[in-house]
């Protein structure tokens, strides 16, 4: 290490990032190397990575020695030792060194010429994590690399990730290697497929992108599917439909399958079939010790229970086996009610609530109150308007579905898309945005709204208002199968609520604080009807803090979750999420 006064100048001139080329027997190869003030060195090449130490050997002269580990797809195998003697020449350095196989004798070393130019005056952002790429078959990306920003972006733009490194996993082995590296380096692990569920910035984390884990197979005789963590629901719906089968999915076909399932999964047919987590038969998950486990009701049942509802607090789920339903068609659609004043909005909302109370379990529905700005990018019929929107899905005979919808049609919707449709179109009903959005998202579980609650809700979309905010407030009707104990117990529950409230508000970066404040005020005004509980798949912004996460579970379930966490992740490696800390042993105080 550096222990002489003569190194002071070298520290000032050598520290930083250099990019250059090697030459050996008329062959050349690029490299990028990072020197840190503590005397450590990190190397990246197209085919491997290396770490080692450097030292100053006198004015303008230095040497470094490192071990290079080839990437899994490199054309050579085994580690190589690199020793270089070099001298500085302004903003460049030149050197001669040797490269030898890790166990080869010195005479086997091959002389190599090194030249490099300064790229930056500080050590690379990847300096401390460069060795991660040595064991990854997929891509390992660092800040500044092409594809890094895209890999850690996602659908929800209001949460920005700045991880130390991104692993675009090619398989479960990559996931396990990334988890082991993070544990050894003392860094948290973040995991993402589509980015619909982003809630906490992944700053400094080892970020695992699962989008390339795309296993998909359907067993029509067993009525099941094997699905990889990189799939989206529209892909699974299409594959299952070829066999007359259907998975339980939500309102958007673009949502990643695993975030949905591990958050419990509130499907559009929830009153009929319950949560999507009910239909999970097994999960393949990499836990904090880097082991790949298959969990089910018979294999590590506590972990199987916890992951379905506990999301990514317990590991990285790479695949699942789910049950499919023999469901080819549904009756569903949307009814649009533009409203000119509070009275019209009140009439439609009251009528919907009365109608919903009378519906059988085969009918799942929601009502959304919306207010739009007078913006030129919006369709003419929505600019500056307020709207009440009813969406519904009925599982059963078309004639019965149409008959059940008649009271809503009697209210005179301006648009009515309800009718029989193949299940493959179920994710078209809500018309959720497919492109990334900047939005503030909040959730709550409500008791049955009374007339005072209706008045509060309608006030948020009062057509007489000018200026923002411009909320979308959905009330999803619960009950039915959602309230019954599942066949395979899990950690998600409506806790007896009548409706799930889902608040979505556009949140441009320069208005984020104002939008957050407006959302807080809305929820405060609805507190009388708030059960105090939440659903774990809808925890965003400050709802992802540990003290608020407790609201998503019963007291007994939260206690059990923290105990499972203490067993499988005692060091809290998986904390870039709605955090469930591990239970502390009584001796810990």
């Amino acid at each position: 290490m550096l222990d002489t006064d003569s190194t002071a100048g070298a520290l000032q001139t050598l520290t930083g990032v250099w990019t250059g080329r090697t030459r050996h027997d008329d062959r050349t190869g690029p490299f990028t190397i990072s020197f840190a003030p503590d005397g450590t060195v990190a190397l990246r090449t197209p085919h491997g990575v290396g770490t080692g130490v450097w030292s100053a050997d006198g004015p303008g002269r230095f040497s470094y020695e490192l071990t290079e580990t080839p990437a899994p797809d490199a054309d050579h195998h085994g580690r190589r030792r690199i020793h270089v003697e070099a001298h500085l020449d302004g903003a460049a350095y030149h050197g001669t060194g040797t490269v030898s196989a890790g166990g080869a004798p010195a005479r086997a070393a091959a002389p190599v010429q090194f030249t490099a130019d300064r790229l930056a005056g500080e050590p690379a952002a990847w300096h401390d994590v460069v060795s991660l790429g040595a064991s990854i078959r997929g891509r390992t990306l660092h800040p500044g690399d092409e594809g890094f920003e895209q890999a850690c972006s996602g659908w929800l733009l209001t949460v920005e990730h700045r991880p130390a490194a991104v692993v675009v996993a090619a398989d479960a082995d990559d996931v396990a290697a990334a988890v082991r590296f993070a544990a050894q380096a003392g860094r948290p692990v973040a995991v993402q497929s589509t980015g619909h569920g982003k809630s906490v910035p992944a700053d400094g984390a080892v970020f695992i992108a699962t989008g390339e884990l795309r296993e998909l197979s359907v067993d029509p005789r067993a009525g099941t599917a094997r699905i990889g963590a990189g799939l989206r629901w529209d892909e699974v719906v299409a594959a299952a439909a070829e066999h007359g089968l259907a998975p339980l999915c939500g309102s958007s076909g673009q949502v990643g399958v695993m975030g949905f399932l591990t958050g419990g999964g509130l499907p559009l047919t929830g009153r009929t079939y319950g949560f999507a987590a009910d239909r999970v038969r097994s999960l393949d998950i990499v836990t904090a010790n880097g082991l790949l486990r298959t969990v089910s009701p018979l294999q590590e049942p506590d972990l199987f229970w916890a992951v379905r509802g506990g999301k990514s607090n317990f590991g990285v789920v790479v695949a699942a086996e789910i049950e499919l339903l023999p469901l080819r068609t549904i009756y569903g659609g949307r009814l649009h009610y533009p409203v000119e004043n509070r009275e019209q909005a009140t009439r439609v909302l009251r009528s919907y609530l009365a109608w919903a109370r009378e519906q059988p379990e085969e009918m799942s529905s929601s009502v959304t109150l919306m207010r739009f700005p007078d913006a030129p990018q919006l369709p003419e019929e929505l600019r500056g308007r307020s709207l009440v929107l009813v969406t519904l899905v009925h599982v059963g005979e078309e004639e019965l579905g149409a008959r059940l919808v008649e009271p809503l049609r009697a209210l005179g919707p301006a648009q009515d898309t309800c009718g029989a449709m193949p299940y493959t179109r179920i994710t078209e009903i809500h018309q959720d945005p497919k492109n990334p959005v900047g939005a503030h998202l909040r959730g709550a579980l409500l008791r049955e709204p009374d007339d005072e609650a209706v008045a509060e809700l309608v006030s948020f979309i009062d057509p007489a208002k000018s200026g923002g905010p411009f909320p979308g407030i959905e009330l999803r009707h619960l009950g039915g199968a959602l309230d019954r104990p599942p066949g395979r117990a899990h950690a998600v529950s409506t806790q007896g609520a009548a409706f799930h409230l889902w608040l979505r508000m556009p949140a441009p970066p320069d208005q984020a604080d104002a939008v957050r404040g407006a959302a807080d005020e809305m929820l405060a005004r609805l507190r009388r009807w708030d059960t105090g509980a939440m659903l774990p798949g809808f925890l965003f912004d400050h709802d992802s803090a540990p003290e608020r996460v407790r609201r998503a579970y019963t007291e007994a379930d939260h206690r059990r979750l923290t105990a499972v966490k203490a067993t499988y992740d005692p060091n809290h490696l998986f904390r870039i999420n709605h955090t469930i800390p591990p239970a502390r042993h009584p001796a810990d105080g």
Side-chain angles (χ1 to χ4, degrees):
M1 290 293 186
L2 307 178
D3 56 3
T4 69
D5 294 339
S6 67
T7 63
L11 279 170
Q12 295 176 358
T13 54
L14 187 59
T15 295
V17 184
W18 303 71
T19 181
R21 302 190 73 82
T22 61
R23 178 177 292 277
H24 170 59
D25 291 341
D26 295 326
R27 290 179 298 173
T28 64
F31 68 90
T32 303
I33 194 165
S34 172
F35 297 95
D38 64 357
T40 59
V41 59
L43 172 75
R44 296 179 69 191
T45 76
H47 305 295
V49 297
T51 58
V53 295
W54 71 275
S55 61
D57 298 336
R61 305 195 66 82
F62 65 96
S63 61
Y64 58 90
E65 188 160 345
L66 53 80
T67 300
E68 181 191 19
T69 303
D73 60 351
D75 57 5
H76 66 278
H77 302 282
R79 296 184 176 184
R80 302 194 298 184
R81 293 182 300 178
I82 300 173
H83 178 83
V84 178
E85 304 283 344
H87 67 274
L88 290 167
D89 183 9
Y93 80 74
H94 307 277
T96 301
T98 57
V99 178
S100 58
R107 63 178 179 273
V112 182
Q113 301 297 316
F114 292 79
T115 61
D117 297 303
R118 181 184 293 279
L119 188 64
E122 297 291 332
W126 43 263
H127 188 97
D128 294 332
V129 294
V130 68
S131 59
L132 170 62
S135 54
I136 302 300
R137 194 169 68 85
R139 290 176 292 152
T140 304
L141 303 172
H142 301 280
D145 288 352
E146 182 179 357
F148 176 86
E149 296 292 339
Q150 181 181 0
C152 58
S153 183
W155 180 82
L156 185 60
L157 300 178
T158 43
V159 176
E160 295 184 1
H161 293 315
R162 296 180 180 86
V166 172
V167 171
V168 183
D171 51 30
D173 288 341
D174 278 359
V175 173
V179 169
R180 286 193 295 268
F181 177 89
Q184 292 167 2
R187 292 183 179 271
V189 172
V191 59
Q192 180 175 293
S193 175
T194 64
H196 283 75
K198 291 196 294 184
S199 60
V200 177
D203 296 352
V206 173
F207 184 99
I208 301 174
T210 61
E212 296 185 7
L213 305 182
R214 303 189 53 76
E215 177 184 3
L216 176 56
S217 62
V218 175
D219 184 339
R221 297 187 66 180
T224 61
R226 280 275 303 176
I227 56 176
L231 296 174
R232 303 174 188 229
W233 279 115
D234 54 3
E235 297 172 293
V236 183
V237 168
E242 295 178 6
H243 307 280
L245 300 169
L248 292 182
C249 63
S251 59
S252 172
Q254 300 296 302
V255 167
V257 295
M258 226 51 78
F260 182 77
L261 292 175
T262 58
L266 181 59
L268 291 185
T269 54
R271 282 175 46 81
T272 310
Y273 297 114
F275 288 101
D278 300 1
R279 306 285 168 164
V280 177
R281 296 180 59 148
S282 67
L283 298 166
D284 292 351
I285 181 172
V286 176
T287 49
N289 57 2
L291 292 180
L292 176 63
R293 307 166 185 264
T294 297
V295 297
S296 69
L298 298 179
Q299 296 173 276
E300 304 189 76
D302 282 347
L303 183 57
F304 179 64
W305 171 86
V307 174
R308 293 172 304 127
K311 295 203 79 172
S312 60
N313 273 281
F314 304 93
V316 182
V317 178
V318 296
E321 181 181 358
I322 61 172
E323 291 178 353
L324 304 173
L325 299 165
L327 190 59
R328 293 179 180 271
T329 62
I330 55 170
Y331 186 92
R334 303 181 306 279
L335 299 106
H336 292 233
Y337 303 90
V339 293
E340 302 295 336
N341 51 55
R342 285 196 184 197
E343 289 72 23
Q344 284 183 316
T346 299
R347 173 172 169 265
V348 175
L349 181 55
R350 280 180 177 168
S351 298
Y352 165 79
L353 293 171
W355 172 85
R357 284 192 291 270
E358 302 299 321
Q359 294 309 299
E361 292 182 4
E362 291 75 20
M363 178 69 79
S364 299
S365 65
S366 68
V367 60
T368 303
L369 310 179
M370 308 177 76
R371 182 167 166 265
F372 297 93
D374 188 4
Q377 65 266 31
L378 291 175
E380 181 67 34
E381 65 272 16
L382 296 179
R383 293 180 193 171
R385 302 291 300 274
S386 294
L387 177 73
V388 179
L389 170 67
V390 174
T391 57
L392 58 90
V393 175
H394 178 260
V395 178
E397 295 295 327
E398 178 182 353
E399 292 183 4
L400 176 57
R403 190 160 62 248
L404 290 172
V405 176
E406 285 177 2
L408 298 177
R409 288 186 163 132
L411 298 173
Q415 183 179 350
D416 177 356
T417 68
C418 294
M421 64 179 69
Y423 191 89
T424 51
R425 291 182 53 202
I426 191 170
T427 57
E428 299 175 13
I429 293 174
H430 278 241
Q431 295 189 332
D432 284 355
K434 295 182 178 181
N435 294 325
V437 300
H440 183 71
L441 308 175
R442 300 289 292 279
L445 288 170
L446 302 184
R447 301 179 182 88
E448 186 73 42
D450 56 18
D451 286 348
E452 290 184 73
V454 168
E456 287 286 4
L457 289 163
V458 167
S459 72
F460 300 142
I461 64 159
D462 187 350
K465 281 185 177 179
S466 60
F470 299 99
I473 309 166
E474 181 189 46
L475 299 182
R476 182 83 63 91
H477 190 208
L478 303 177
L482 293 166
D483 283 349
R484 288 196 291 273
R488 300 181 187 93
H490 48 64
V492 62
S493 166
T494 66
Q495 300 187 53
F499 286 89
H500 179 255
L501 180 143
W502 184 225
L503 175 61
R504 296 160 290 185
M505 299 176 67
D510 60 341
Q511 301 176 29
D513 290 341
V515 170
R516 184 179 293 108
D520 287 342
E521 180 184 349
M522 290 183 185
L523 292 173
R525 287 169 57 183
L526 294 171
R527 192 162 294 146
R528 280 185 289 166
W529 301 278
D530 190 338
T531 65
M534 305 180 75
L535 289 178
F538 296 86
L539 299 175
F540 292 85
D541 207 82
H542 41 287
D543 287 337
S544 59
E547 65 275 9
R548 298 176 71 89
V549 169
R550 297 178 68 99
R551 298 173 55 190
Y553 308 100
T554 65
E555 184 176 346
D557 281 354
H558 189 267
R559 201 163 46 241
R560 184 179 175 189
L561 286 166
T562 62
V564 176
K565 178 79 168 181
T567 298
Y568 289 95
D569 185 18
N571 296 320
H572 209 10
L573 190 69
F574 301 107
R575 58 182 183 271
I576 309 297
N577 46 35
H578 73 271
T579 304
I580 300 173
R584 292 192 301 171
H585 190 276
D588 298 333

